[in-house]
Amino acid sequence: MMAHITRLRRLISAHHAAGGYAKVVGGLLLMLLVATAVAAPLLAPYDPGAQVAAPFAAPSWAHLLGANDIGQDLLSELIYGARVSLLVGLLAALAATVVGTAVGLAAGYFRGPLDAALMRMVDVMLSLPFLPLMIVLGVYLGPGLVTEILIIGTVIWAHAARELRAQVLSSRERGHIQAIRAMGASAGYVLARHLLPAVFPLVLPQFLRAANAAILLESSLGFLGLGDPTTKSWGTMLFYANARSAFLTHAWLWWVLPAGLCIAATVLGFALLGYAMEPRIRPRLRARPRSWLVPSAASCGSRSGQIAVRETPLLQVADLSVTYETAGSAVRAVDAVSFDVRRGEVLGIVGESGCGKSTVAMALLRLLKPPARLVAGRMLLNDRDLALLSPAELQRLRGARLALVPQTAMNALNPVYNVLHQVVEAIMAHRSVSRREARARGLELLALVGIPPERGQSYPHELSGGMRQRVVIAMALANDPQLIIADEPTTGLDLLVQAEILALLADLRARLNLAMIFISHDLAVVLRIADRIVVMQAGQVVERGPAAALAAQPEHPYTRRLLETMPRLKIASLFESVLSDRPADDVRLVTIGKEEQ
Ligand code: ADP
Ligand code: MG
């Protein structure tokens, strides 16, 4: 076993060493070739277009590689040829990578018909034999450097598109990207600031691969006589060598071989760099969003002055039904659910795992994705039906008037930025304020959720679960939402922290007059914070009522069961301890004491 591991280690380190050499050798080769191309006028002994020797002259000290059929110096031609070959190759590769990346991002992000159409195009491109295609295009468009670039770009973009699409498809489902979308970020913003950086590590190898192919294709085009005859590339040199029968004499040694070696060296250089890059890049694929985005709404200030209750509820949900439609069967996860949320009120939704709570939350945010389908119901927020909003309206609403506090804060935070930065970005994304103002506001928000200013510099992994949940709450508050949907915001936190987060939410709710939908499977938790409670079972509302009444006199057997199975350890006592600022040790003693009952 040990021997096996040692061998494996040795193999891995050999692989790493090979990667290191490949990078150095590949890099040097390419640097040398690029330097030759750049310094061609200095390096070339003659003007490649001038007749300076006898036709078909053999190599001599004056003409190291001899001369071609019209007496032009072949060494000079070779050196200038580097310019054309590399320029065409690199520009074509760049164009192909840009187009491929754009197509991959668009297809992976928007999915649906656009994806289908783009991917059919990619399939067609990848299945066409590209040499004949290139010849047809070359003959049709005529010779010239720009057309060469276009032809090569057209032929090779599809590969990058397919690879990047796959990566986008998986990146877009990541927690933080979902969270940003829940907060109403526009498609353009998500694509440019989050998905592009997430897939960028793949773009470079795609470019190297494209450059490799492009150099070879350029040589082929040149060799077939479809290159630009006035500015010769290595491929064009080969075309002339072939046309003037250099292969039949010794002339192939100085006319054909050097150009061939140059092409091979370039391809080798790109291949080695690509090889060196692979192990370094693949494991690091990860989404790297810049921020948790929160679109802007009204003012930054507290809304404590607002009137608490008006006649019409803030949110009216009526007969909401959602099904998950899989092959043949449809599960009705939410079945004719109705409830209201008044301004400044906390509505609790409680029910065991799988009863449809998260589905209700996602339906409200309009974030249901197939196989989920909203089959019926109205969701009136300020008298406007959420189900009927256009994507642009939705985007303005999410995060601004409706904000989500998700369960797993770690997923919703970007690991590579400190938390203050993420709050600041959230503010700036939708408000035209200076960075300084946004920072000040960011610190204010952090203070509001009980994070001292110096912790703003911490990265998510440096904070405890409770602290991270506080940051996420600060972000949800960034745009002064009218309604916060908190889906299991304390689940997964340990009891003491749970109680602290609950206390924070209760405190914020009182101070900011927030309306909130508080979702949890834990009735004990919901009872502590909700004014009214909706009990769900298997997609249906089985009981509803004011929290106190529901706890005192449950009517539905399911509610009674929930009450009975509530842990003996009442989070209530913990909650009150936290609110009354008893020392933590004391609270922990309470916890242990009750647990042992
Ligand atoms: P909760 O948040 O209350 O735990 P969910 O809203 O996540 O419950 O799920 C409710 C029900 O919807 C589940 O019991 C399951 O039957 C169904 N469901 C959820 N997600 C999917 C899915 N992706 N595909 C099929 N059915 C699903
Ligand atoms: Mg859930």
Side-chain angles (χ1 to χ4, degrees):
M1 182 65 184
M2 278 312 287
H4 193 71
I5 292 174
T6 320
R7 204 165 336 127
L8 203 65
R9 281 217 185 107
R10 219 173 281 148
L11 262 177
I12 290 170
S13 66
H15 181 64
H16 281 189
Y21 291 132
K23 189 164 71 183
V24 173
V25 175
L28 279 178
L29 260 178
L30 289 179
M31 258 156 56
L32 195 74
L33 289 161
V34 169
T36 308
V38 171
L42 301 175
L43 295 174
Y46 303 96
D47 173 358
Q51 190 186 348
V52 290
F56 296 112
S60 64
W61 285 113
H63 303 282
L64 290 176
L65 294 178
N68 65 10
D69 56 315
I70 48 171
Q72 291 163 336
D73 182 59
L74 281 174
L75 178 62
S76 305
E77 216 165 57
L78 189 72
I79 291 172
Y80 271 92
R83 294 192 141 187
V84 184
S85 289
L86 289 175
L87 192 71
V88 172
L90 290 177
L91 286 181
L94 190 69
T97 312
V98 169
V99 171
T101 306
V103 169
L105 281 173
Y109 185 78
F110 294 107
R111 302 190 290 194
L114 181 69
D115 181 30
L118 290 173
M119 284 306 111
R120 285 307 75 72
M121 255 166 78
V122 165
D123 289 344
V124 169
M125 289 313 300
L126 289 176
S127 58
L128 287 177
F130 53 69
L131 208 56
L133 174 67
M134 206 174 67
I135 294 168
V136 170
L137 284 172
V139 172
Y140 179 71
L141 294 171
L145 291 186
V146 176
T147 49
E148 251 191 299
I149 292 171
L150 286 178
I151 293 167
I152 298 171
T154 308
V155 170
I156 61 176
W157 63 271
H159 198 278
R162 194 154 76 172
E163 279 249 326
L164 291 171
R165 168 185 175 268
Q167 189 56 37
V168 170
L169 278 180
S170 77
S171 293
R172 82 194 288 285
E173 299 307 329
R174 280 160 199 265
H176 35 235
I177 304 235
Q178 289 278 42
I180 302 151
R181 294 176 61 218
M183 285 302 177
S186 71
Y189 191 95
V190 176
L191 278 169
R193 300 288 300 275
H194 296 262
L195 285 172
L196 184 59
V199 300
F200 200 76
L202 266 189
V203 173
L204 191 59
Q206 287 301 330
F207 172 75
L208 291 176
R209 185 201 287 257
N212 212 334
I215 296 279
L216 273 176
L217 289 177
E218 195 284 327
S219 307
S220 318
L221 273 177
F223 180 67
L224 292 167
L226 296 170
D228 186 341
T230 56
T231 43
K232 285 187 202 166
S233 69
W234 295 326
T236 328
M237 283 181 73
L238 294 178
F239 166 73
Y240 283 102
N242 181 44
R244 304 294 177 259
S245 308
F247 287 97
L248 302 179
T249 65
H250 281 314
W252 72 270
L253 266 176
W254 51 86
W255 199 343
V256 174
L257 198 60
L261 285 177
C262 284
I263 294 167
T266 314
V267 170
L268 185 67
F270 281 117
L272 285 175
L273 269 194
Y275 170 74
M277 209 133 272
E278 203 90 339
R280 225 165 42 92
I281 283 158
R282 298 254 162 201
R284 294 232 182 139
L285 286 176
R286 55 159 193 248
R288 299 180 45 188
R290 293 282 178 85
S291 68
W292 166 293
L293 245 201
V294 189
S296 87
S299 71
C300 290
S302 131
R303 300 189 324 204
S304 35
Q306 203 171 310
I307 302 161
V309 179
R310 289 185 211 159
E311 308 83 63
T312 49
L314 176 64
L315 176 75
Q316 293 170 281
V317 176
D319 294 318
L320 181 69
S321 293
V322 179
T323 52
Y324 285 88
E325 287 165 12
T326 43
S329 72
V331 178
R332 186 157 283 225
V334 173
D335 191 5
V337 165
S338 304
F339 58 82
D340 290 347
V341 182
R342 301 180 195 135
R343 288 162 216 276
E345 168 186 65
V346 178
L347 177 82
I349 299 183
V350 69
E352 67 196 358
S353 180
C355 72
K357 306 179 299 292
S358 295
T359 309
V360 169
M362 290 298 118
L364 287 172
L365 286 158
R366 288 275 309 274
L367 281 173
L368 290 174
K369 49 178 194 274
R373 197 163 70 84
L374 183 71
V375 285
R378 279 181 308 146
M379 305 177 282
L380 300 181
L381 181 73
N382 294 317
D383 296 322
R384 295 209 58 194
D385 195 342
L386 296 173
L388 304 178
L389 295 183
S390 69
E393 288 172 316
L394 264 179
Q395 184 203 319
R396 261 177 274 136
L397 179 115
R398 287 186 195 140
R401 284 194 268 157
L402 261 183
L404 175 73
V405 175
Q407 178 178 340
T408 36
M410 195 60 187
N411 279 353
L413 293 170
N414 183 342
V416 300
Y417 295 104
N418 70 44
V419 293
L420 176 61
H421 178 94
Q422 302 192 51
V423 180
V424 166
E425 287 267 294
I427 297 163
M428 291 193 61
H430 288 269
R431 287 172 197 270
S432 34
V433 292
S434 71
R435 188 157 273 277
R436 272 192 47 206
E437 285 170 298
R439 263 185 78 87
R441 166 74 176 147
L443 287 170
E444 221 177 273
L445 281 167
L446 288 180
L448 189 66
V449 297
I451 296 183
E454 66 275 8
R455 296 314 299 266
Q457 304 306 318
S458 306
Y459 290 85
H461 72 269
E462 296 171 328
L463 297 177
S464 66
M467 285 286 223
R468 287 199 287 265
Q469 194 58 278
R470 285 170 192 266
V471 173
V472 169
I473 292 170
M475 288 168 160
L477 292 173
N479 288 295
D480 201 19
Q482 290 182 311
L483 178 63
I484 287 190
I485 300 176
D487 189 359
E488 307 263 9
T490 59
T491 307
L493 300 173
D494 67 49
L495 279 177
L496 186 61
V497 179
Q498 244 186 53
E500 282 171 6
I501 295 291
L502 274 177
L504 170 69
L505 284 174
D507 174 50
L508 286 173
R509 168 272 172 99
R511 279 208 274 166
L512 307 180
N513 191 31
L514 284 173
M516 198 182 325
I517 296 180
F518 187 99
I519 298 175
S520 176
H521 65 279
D522 188 342
L523 182 54
V525 171
V526 177
L527 277 173
R528 296 317 306 169
I529 190 160
D531 300 305
R532 287 186 307 127
I533 294 180
V534 168
V535 181
M536 281 182 72
Q537 184 188 22
Q540 295 181 331
V541 174
V542 293
E543 184 161 4
R544 68 180 77 228
L550 197 112
Q553 277 180 322
E555 275 168 21
H556 197 276
Y558 180 69
T559 315
R560 258 177 253 141
R561 218 172 70 221
L562 282 180
L563 274 169
E564 278 158 18
T565 54
M566 241 162 66
R568 298 286 300 280
L569 153 69
K570 295 279 194 301
I571 200 150
S573 53
L574 262 182
F575 182 70
E576 262 120 38
S577 328
V578 173
L579 274 188
S580 63
D581 276 343
R582 257 195 275 160
D585 283 346
D586 196 7
V587 173
R588 207 163 288 134
L589 280 178
V590 172
T591 315
I592 295 162
K594 297 238 171 172
E595 232 159 13
E596 281 169 356
Q597 280 177 9

